[in-house]
Amino acid sequence: MEWFGHAKVGFSHAPSPRPMREKDGRETDLLKIVEETTPPCHLNPLLFNGHLQTIWTAIKPSGPLVYYRRKIFDADHKTYKGTFAADFAVQPFEGSDETLPRRTTYYSDEEFANIGSDDSRPMLVVLHGLSGGSHETYLRHTIAPLLGDGGWEVCIVNSRGCAGSKITSGVLYNGRATWDCRQTVKWLKRTFPNRPLFGLGFSLGANMLTNYCGEEGESCLLKGAVVCSNPFNLEISSKMLQNRFIGKEVYLRVMGLAMKGLISTHKDALKKYTDLDLPTIEKVTYLNDFDREVQCPTWGYPTEDAYYRDASSTDAVLSIRIPFVAIQATDDPIAVKEALPYAEFKQNPNTVMTTTSMGGHLCWFEVGGGRWYPKPVCNFLNHLAFKVDLDSVTPSRAPTPENPKHGTDYNPMRRKLQIIED
């Protein structure tokens, strides 16, 4: 237990971090910015381990009020067909829609037709956790300080079937489901051409965002990205949870039940669009069992471990070419420290991993009930958006191997699951 909740903060980074230039002409680098924008981590001493921190989030569910307008997008990729929902943070309004989470309603056709703008306000694209959505407390805690007078615009990409969205095809989502994020980022760039775009991901959404940034590489349209509580190596995280009583009987069970709830909600659509064995899925208890019965037949993976290995974002860290920060707690019982890619972060000058010795999974509760992690997230994003010369922030070039032995070429983003075009 750290002394009275004073967590240790560490930074994993390359020996020569990415150079950066401030608007005032001052030369700096990514590590210095991260260090400057990361405050001391003083947490509630009564929540002295990752389990207590993580469980407390279920006891203290309230958070800041954020209002959204929703738009349903048709997927523009013929393989990833279907629809997905994007929620845009807006000013408070009257009215509600009982089919959607609280404080969320649909854009009217007229409203959405006029949504485009030439302003240069920074815009954040957010990916939520396993079965969540824009309504999640941990997400609202993070984006609320950026809205309004904070000067930001925010768009949350809801995973298919989450947050009251419908399933309209056999294409669901998984840990490497980057297609809807990619389409959203491209659409935002066309619709708001002067807005610098940034990314933020939580838990499984953090894994997706890391994969997205790695897949895009030198072509990434984001100016920077932050991920929180990323499980990174999904196989290691799953094995560690399965081999611990609390991990299996609390976390894997709760996450498995949450995913079963999504299946139950969309049972009719899944009967129509998929060949999933719904009676068998209804009997599963743990998340790894769910992945065996859903992710494997949906995507063609032979085992859930094969899926975990292919969807993990550990190797993606090596391909990231934009300023990228991960914030992790080493006592996180879900995104376990054994799965953190320390070596990969030390290889890539575009990346920094901030670790705290306490905090749990997407928690970091302070005395009084506040959360610590929104501070380094917002501080870093605000520094990038308002203090850094963004014209100088372009994706770095991928290093060219010198004198490769035996004609070899390592590609960290080479996937085992290949998409076959129709």
Side-chain angles (χ1 to χ4, degrees), residues 288-313:
N288 53 299
D289 297 328
F290 176 89
D291 289 335
R292 184 185 310 123
E293 299 299 334
V294 175
Q295 302 293 14
C296 291
T298 297
W299 307 104
Y301 291 109
T303 67
E304 67 269 30
D305 287 342
Y307 155 59
Y308 294 149
R309 288 190 292 272
D310 199 45
S312 292
S313 60

Short mmCIF file of all heavy atoms in Angstrom, two decimals, residues 288-313:
data_model
loop_
_atom_site.label_atom_id
_atom_site.label_comp_id
_atom_site.label_asym_id
_atom_site.label_seq_id
_atom_site.Cartn_x
_atom_site.Cartn_y
_atom_site.Cartn_z
N ASN A 288 -14.47 -15.02 -21.42
CA ASN A 288 -13.73 -15.87 -22.35
C ASN A 288 -14.63 -16.91 -22.99
O ASN A 288 -14.45 -17.28 -24.16
CB ASN A 288 -12.54 -16.53 -21.66
CG ASN A 288 -12.92 -17.27 -20.40
OD1 ASN A 288 -13.43 -16.67 -19.45
ND2 ASN A 288 -12.67 -18.57 -20.35
N ASP A 289 -15.63 -17.40 -22.25
CA ASP A 289 -16.60 -18.32 -22.85
C ASP A 289 -17.44 -17.60 -23.90
O ASP A 289 -17.75 -18.16 -24.96
CB ASP A 289 -17.52 -18.90 -21.77
CG ASP A 289 -16.78 -19.74 -20.75
OD1 ASP A 289 -15.77 -20.37 -21.14
OD2 ASP A 289 -17.19 -19.76 -19.58
N PHE A 290 -17.82 -16.37 -23.59
CA PHE A 290 -18.58 -15.58 -24.54
C PHE A 290 -17.79 -15.38 -25.83
O PHE A 290 -18.32 -15.55 -26.94
CB PHE A 290 -18.93 -14.22 -23.93
CG PHE A 290 -19.63 -13.29 -24.87
CD1 PHE A 290 -21.01 -13.28 -24.98
CD2 PHE A 290 -18.90 -12.41 -25.66
CE1 PHE A 290 -21.65 -12.42 -25.87
CE2 PHE A 290 -19.53 -11.55 -26.55
CZ PHE A 290 -20.91 -11.55 -26.65
N ASP A 291 -16.52 -15.02 -25.69
CA ASP A 291 -15.70 -14.80 -26.88
C ASP A 291 -15.57 -16.08 -27.71
O ASP A 291 -15.53 -16.03 -28.95
CB ASP A 291 -14.32 -14.29 -26.47
CG ASP A 291 -14.36 -12.86 -25.95
OD1 ASP A 291 -15.29 -12.13 -26.33
OD2 ASP A 291 -13.48 -12.48 -25.16
N ARG A 292 -15.51 -17.23 -27.03
CA ARG A 292 -15.43 -18.50 -27.75
C ARG A 292 -16.69 -18.74 -28.58
O ARG A 292 -16.62 -19.24 -29.72
CB ARG A 292 -15.23 -19.65 -26.76
CG ARG A 292 -15.04 -21.02 -27.42
CD ARG A 292 -14.98 -22.13 -26.39
NE ARG A 292 -14.03 -21.79 -25.34
CZ ARG A 292 -14.35 -21.73 -24.04
NH1 ARG A 292 -15.60 -21.98 -23.65
NH2 ARG A 292 -13.44 -21.42 -23.15
N GLU A 293 -17.84 -18.38 -28.03
CA GLU A 293 -19.11 -18.66 -28.70
C GLU A 293 -19.56 -17.56 -29.65
O GLU A 293 -20.42 -17.80 -30.50
CB GLU A 293 -20.21 -18.90 -27.65
CG GLU A 293 -19.94 -20.06 -26.71
CD GLU A 293 -19.83 -21.39 -27.43
OE1 GLU A 293 -20.41 -21.52 -28.54
OE2 GLU A 293 -19.15 -22.29 -26.91
N VAL A 294 -18.98 -16.37 -29.53
CA VAL A 294 -19.41 -15.25 -30.37
C VAL A 294 -18.30 -14.77 -31.30
O VAL A 294 -18.46 -14.75 -32.53
CB VAL A 294 -19.93 -14.07 -29.51
CG1 VAL A 294 -20.27 -12.87 -30.40
CG2 VAL A 294 -21.15 -14.50 -28.72
N GLN A 295 -17.17 -14.37 -30.74
CA GLN A 295 -16.11 -13.83 -31.58
C GLN A 295 -15.53 -14.87 -32.53
O GLN A 295 -15.23 -14.56 -33.70
CB GLN A 295 -14.99 -13.23 -30.71
CG GLN A 295 -15.44 -12.14 -29.75
CD GLN A 295 -15.90 -10.87 -30.46
OE1 GLN A 295 -16.13 -10.85 -31.66
NE2 GLN A 295 -16.07 -9.80 -29.71
N CYS A 296 -15.36 -16.09 -32.05
CA CYS A 296 -14.76 -17.12 -32.92
C CYS A 296 -15.62 -17.43 -34.15
O CYS A 296 -15.13 -17.34 -35.28
CB CYS A 296 -14.47 -18.38 -32.11
SG CYS A 296 -13.14 -18.18 -30.91
N PRO A 297 -16.89 -17.79 -33.98
CA PRO A 297 -17.69 -18.06 -35.18
C PRO A 297 -17.97 -16.82 -36.03
O PRO A 297 -18.12 -16.93 -37.25
CB PRO A 297 -18.99 -18.65 -34.61
CG PRO A 297 -19.06 -18.18 -33.21
CD PRO A 297 -17.65 -18.09 -32.74
N THR A 298 -18.03 -15.66 -35.40
CA THR A 298 -18.31 -14.43 -36.17
C THR A 298 -17.17 -14.10 -37.11
O THR A 298 -17.39 -13.72 -38.27
CB THR A 298 -18.55 -13.25 -35.21
OG1 THR A 298 -19.71 -13.52 -34.42
CG2 THR A 298 -18.77 -11.96 -36.00
N TRP A 299 -15.93 -14.25 -36.64
CA TRP A 299 -14.77 -13.79 -37.40
C TRP A 299 -13.93 -14.92 -37.98
O TRP A 299 -13.02 -14.65 -38.77
CB TRP A 299 -13.89 -12.88 -36.53
CG TRP A 299 -14.67 -11.77 -35.92
CD1 TRP A 299 -15.10 -11.66 -34.63
CD2 TRP A 299 -15.17 -10.61 -36.59
NE1 TRP A 299 -15.82 -10.51 -34.44
CE2 TRP A 299 -15.88 -9.84 -35.63
CE3 TRP A 299 -15.07 -10.13 -37.90
CZ2 TRP A 299 -16.49 -8.63 -35.96
CZ3 TRP A 299 -15.69 -8.93 -38.21
CH2 TRP A 299 -16.38 -8.20 -37.25
N GLY A 300 -14.19 -16.15 -37.56
CA GLY A 300 -13.43 -17.26 -38.11
C GLY A 300 -12.20 -17.66 -37.32
O GLY A 300 -11.36 -18.42 -37.81
N TYR A 301 -12.08 -17.17 -36.09
CA TYR A 301 -10.95 -17.58 -35.25
C TYR A 301 -11.20 -18.99 -34.72
O TYR A 301 -12.32 -19.31 -34.30
CB TYR A 301 -10.78 -16.62 -34.07
CG TYR A 301 -10.31 -15.24 -34.45
CD1 TYR A 301 -11.17 -14.15 -34.38
CD2 TYR A 301 -9.00 -15.02 -34.87
CE1 TYR A 301 -10.73 -12.87 -34.71
CE2 TYR A 301 -8.56 -13.75 -35.21
CZ TYR A 301 -9.43 -12.68 -35.13
OH TYR A 301 -9.00 -11.42 -35.46
N PRO A 302 -10.17 -19.85 -34.69
CA PRO A 302 -10.37 -21.22 -34.21
C PRO A 302 -10.58 -21.30 -32.70
O PRO A 302 -11.28 -22.20 -32.22
CB PRO A 302 -9.08 -21.93 -34.63
CG PRO A 302 -8.06 -20.84 -34.73
CD PRO A 302 -8.81 -19.64 -35.21
N THR A 303 -9.96 -20.39 -31.94
CA THR A 303 -10.10 -20.38 -30.49
C THR A 303 -10.16 -18.93 -30.01
O THR A 303 -9.76 -18.01 -30.73
CB THR A 303 -8.91 -21.06 -29.78
OG1 THR A 303 -7.73 -20.27 -30.00
CG2 THR A 303 -8.69 -22.47 -30.32
N GLU A 304 -10.63 -18.76 -28.79
CA GLU A 304 -10.65 -17.40 -28.24
C GLU A 304 -9.24 -16.86 -28.05
O GLU A 304 -9.00 -15.66 -28.18
CB GLU A 304 -11.45 -17.33 -26.93
CG GLU A 304 -10.84 -18.06 -25.75
CD GLU A 304 -11.34 -19.50 -25.64
OE1 GLU A 304 -11.65 -20.10 -26.69
OE2 GLU A 304 -11.41 -20.01 -24.52
N ASP A 305 -8.28 -17.74 -27.74
CA ASP A 305 -6.90 -17.27 -27.59
C ASP A 305 -6.33 -16.78 -28.92
O ASP A 305 -5.55 -15.82 -28.96
CB ASP A 305 -6.02 -18.38 -27.03
CG ASP A 305 -6.29 -18.64 -25.55
OD1 ASP A 305 -6.90 -17.76 -24.90
OD2 ASP A 305 -5.92 -19.71 -25.05
N ALA A 306 -6.71 -17.43 -30.02
CA ALA A 306 -6.27 -16.96 -31.33
C ALA A 306 -6.84 -15.57 -31.60
O ALA A 306 -6.15 -14.70 -32.16
CB ALA A 306 -6.72 -17.94 -32.41
N TYR A 307 -8.08 -15.37 -31.21
CA TYR A 307 -8.68 -14.03 -31.34
C TYR A 307 -7.95 -13.02 -30.48
O TYR A 307 -7.62 -11.92 -30.94
CB TYR A 307 -10.16 -14.09 -30.95
CG TYR A 307 -10.74 -12.78 -30.47
CD1 TYR A 307 -10.74 -11.65 -31.29
CD2 TYR A 307 -11.28 -12.66 -29.19
CE1 TYR A 307 -11.25 -10.44 -30.84
CE2 TYR A 307 -11.80 -11.46 -28.74
CZ TYR A 307 -11.78 -10.35 -29.56
OH TYR A 307 -12.29 -9.17 -29.11
N TYR A 308 -7.66 -13.37 -29.24
CA TYR A 308 -6.96 -12.44 -28.34
C TYR A 308 -5.60 -12.05 -28.91
O TYR A 308 -5.21 -10.88 -28.87
CB TYR A 308 -6.78 -13.07 -26.96
CG TYR A 308 -8.06 -13.32 -26.20
CD1 TYR A 308 -8.17 -14.39 -25.32
CD2 TYR A 308 -9.18 -12.50 -26.36
CE1 TYR A 308 -9.34 -14.63 -24.61
CE2 TYR A 308 -10.35 -12.74 -25.67
CZ TYR A 308 -10.43 -13.81 -24.79
OH TYR A 308 -11.59 -14.05 -24.11
N ARG A 309 -4.87 -13.04 -29.42
CA ARG A 309 -3.54 -12.73 -29.96
C ARG A 309 -3.63 -11.80 -31.16
O ARG A 309 -2.83 -10.88 -31.31
CB ARG A 309 -2.82 -14.03 -30.35
CG ARG A 309 -2.36 -14.87 -29.17
CD ARG A 309 -1.45 -16.01 -29.62
NE ARG A 309 -2.15 -17.02 -30.39
CZ ARG A 309 -2.77 -18.08 -29.86
NH1 ARG A 309 -2.79 -18.25 -28.55
NH2 ARG A 309 -3.37 -18.96 -30.64
N ASP A 310 -4.62 -12.03 -32.02
CA ASP A 310 -4.73 -11.23 -33.24
C ASP A 310 -5.26 -9.83 -32.97
O ASP A 310 -4.91 -8.88 -33.67
CB ASP A 310 -5.66 -11.94 -34.23
CG ASP A 310 -5.48 -11.44 -35.66
OD1 ASP A 310 -4.32 -11.29 -36.10
OD2 ASP A 310 -6.49 -11.20 -36.33
N ALA A 311 -6.11 -9.69 -31.95
CA ALA A 311 -6.73 -8.40 -31.66
C ALA A 311 -5.93 -7.56 -30.68
O ALA A 311 -6.24 -6.39 -30.47
CB ALA A 311 -8.14 -8.61 -31.12
N SER A 312 -4.90 -8.12 -30.07
CA SER A 312 -4.09 -7.37 -29.11
C SER A 312 -3.43 -6.17 -29.78
O SER A 312 -3.11 -6.21 -30.97
CB SER A 312 -3.02 -8.27 -28.49
OG SER A 312 -3.61 -9.26 -27.66
N SER A 313 -3.20 -5.12 -29.00
CA SER A 313 -2.63 -3.89 -29.57
C SER A 313 -1.17 -3.68 -29.18
O SER A 313 -0.61 -2.62 -29.44
CB SER A 313 -3.46 -2.69 -29.12
OG SER A 313 -3.47 -2.58 -27.70
#
